[in-house]
Amino acid sequence: MLVRFLILLVFVVGMVYAEPYNCKGNYIQSDYIGKLRVPINCDLTRTDCPPSWKSGIPEGSETSSPMIDQKFLNCQEGFTSCGYVSIDPKSGAVLGQSGVTVGAGVDLGSKSRASFTSLSSTLVDKLEPYFGLKRNLAACAAIERPLRLTLAEANNLTRTVTNDVVTEVSKRYDSDKDDNALALASVPRGIRTVIVSVLEICDEKRLGITNPNEQARGDLIRRNNEADIIEATLVRCNRSVDVVFLIDESGSVSLGDFNDSLDFVKNMIKAFPDDKLSGENGTRFGLSTFSTLYKSHFYLSDNTDQSEYLSAVSQVSYTHGSTYLGDALEHVLTDQFTEGRGLRPEVDGVPRVLIVLTDGEANDAVSIPAKNVRNENIVIYAIGIGEYNFEQLKEIASSESHVYTLSTFTELEKFISTLTSSTCYEPRPVSLNETIITNVAKDTYQYFSYKVKESSNLEISVADLSGSTLVYVSRTNPHPYKYDNDISFDLSQQKKKIIVISARPTPDTKGKRSTDDDELTRQIYVSVTSDTDSASFEIEANECNPLNCTEGTNEMPTPPISSGGIFTATKFVVVGFAILLMLFELYDI
């Protein structure tokens, strides 16, 4: 009896006092509002970060070794030799499931000794106390037991993890890609680096690849367009878009250059799966050319699969003449972008895209014709090749970020993945007071953009018709999601969602003067995703007076269930039962 009593006593003491890490309570969430990490004296360095990298795409068209640009990863993640845990500055809470992180985003919360068999035992001994610690326990450990590595140790750790990730990502990528997509080793290094950068930090699947809205590591807040690039590189664009090509065939374009342009069109079409090129929800393409005269070759409703499209492109013949692009823009609007020729109605919310490809300066004015196209909520990409006029390209395009320049037509091939991802995931420009009714599947997004006067607020209304949606809104990110937004609506069960956001610039952003308006305006971006297998919803947005509608939401959250409370109650029941057994033993009941 005494032995059984002692065993139960040890069990009770263990249940009361045993914890995976004995946190002394130095991490208090409210103390870290406005902070980026704990401990706050662990600084990240981001050196050698060109401005072009901010978009998430490093330079590098080479397919040779090394597989990735490590400097890009160090720049994006930040590099440090001290251990830290990422914090949401809005709430002071630990970000996601973050553990103690060191080097270039190496999260020790998901690691064990088996993860680092190639490292020295001395270095692994330093890391081991932080293995498996996540969220608050990791924050406590980072504060109370600071991790400090030498610069050489931090670099060695980062290289080891990156090499392992590259190997694993290569296997996953090559097994997931479509048959006509390039193997990872044959993809340009810049795109390879993006793929590794995203897959290194994401655990959830998204369209067969990853779901970056579910996990953020380090201080880098991932943008969805990085994953979009991956999907485009895999030849897996699964969105519905109405795309029209307007191709230059003037005398300055040689026959070989013109054929390169047609190959570019074919490769863009190939980036959309065959099953997404038919039916009411399929992606549609139209093609027109211009020189002295404008000519249409096929319309949005003419073809329904890749073989039909590719055959139609192959039948386009080369002519020559002068570069009357302004006239072509006038014609393409009334000729291609009409519902009678296959354009989806505005209420369907399908993005409308015009891709203009030219090698020189237009002989006529382009500003007003281009503005008329944009006013119909059509996004214009302007691609200049060779002797282009950059200022004229800016007059044509929807924004300067929609202008692309290349030296020769042969460079178009390397440009496919970037433009495909941009086109596929282009936010749909929507007019104020316009109602869109559309669908969205789980782990995919519908993107919208609204032009709003800075003197106004924007009131966005989303009504779930079936299923449940989540809504994210941003002043700066065209693809807002859980970890990169200005305002979100996370209560998916609420069927009527209203979000009001100010269009006034914040201290770190500036209002953008539209080329089409005299008044200062800015873009507001909205993304909608499904919290169920799929959802149907209605979205509408209107300007409102900031005095009458203030920034915020009508979200009515339910009280959260405390997992800590559940654990404490469970432990109380177990301990109580054990004490009862001890009493039975003492009194021999």
Side-chain angles (χ1 to χ4, degrees), residues 291-350:
S291 55
T292 304
L293 300 176
Y294 164 90
K295 183 178 181 181
S296 57
H297 298 276
F298 56 83
Y299 297 105
L300 294 167
S301 58
D302 285 353
N303 303 291
T304 58
D305 60 42
Q306 284 191 7
S307 62
E308 290 183 7
Y309 276 116
L310 300 183
S311 175
V313 175
S314 297
Q315 295 175 26
V316 176
S317 59
Y318 169 70
T319 60
H320 56 81
S322 300
T323 310
Y324 283 92
L325 179 51
D327 178 73
L329 289 168
E330 290 180 356
H331 278 86
V332 78
L333 177 60
T334 57
D335 181 49
Q336 286 276 10
F337 289 99
T338 63
E339 292 185 24
R341 297 277 170 75
L343 184 73
R344 260 72 67 95
E346 287 196 352
V347 70
D348 290 352
V350 176

Side-chain angles (χ1 to χ4, degrees), residues 196-249:
V196 172
S197 176
V198 174
L199 295 191
E200 181 179 3
I201 65 163
C202 299
D203 300 317
E204 299 292 326
K205 286 285 185 179
R206 177 185 176 196
L207 295 181
I209 309 303
T210 57
N211 188 350
N213 73 316
E214 291 299 329
Q215 182 69 49
R217 303 284 191 187
D219 283 280
L220 174 63
I221 297 179
R222 297 289 175 173
R223 295 180 182 275
N224 279 348
N225 69 313
E226 290 183 322
D228 299 341
I229 293 168
I230 296 175
E231 291 171 14
T233 310
L234 284 166
V235 195
R236 286 189 176 180
C237 181
N238 285 282
R239 298 187 75 218
S240 298
V241 192
D242 286 341
V243 183
V244 174
F245 298 95
L246 184 59
I247 306 298
D248 190 343
E249 60 171 346

Side-chain angles (χ1 to χ4, degrees), residues 405-422:
T405 57
L406 305 172
S407 299
T408 65
F409 280 82
T410 56
E411 293 181 12
L412 283 169
E413 182 179 358
K414 298 177 181 178
F415 184 59
I416 296 294
S417 296
T418 301
L419 188 59
T420 299
S421 65
S422 299

Side-chain angles (χ1 to χ4, degrees), residues 439-453:
N439 305 302
V440 64
K442 189 177 181 64
D443 292 339
T444 66
Y445 291 79
Q446 290 281 11
Y447 301 114
F448 307 94
S449 68
Y450 296 88
K451 187 186 297 182
V452 186
K453 295 191 294 288

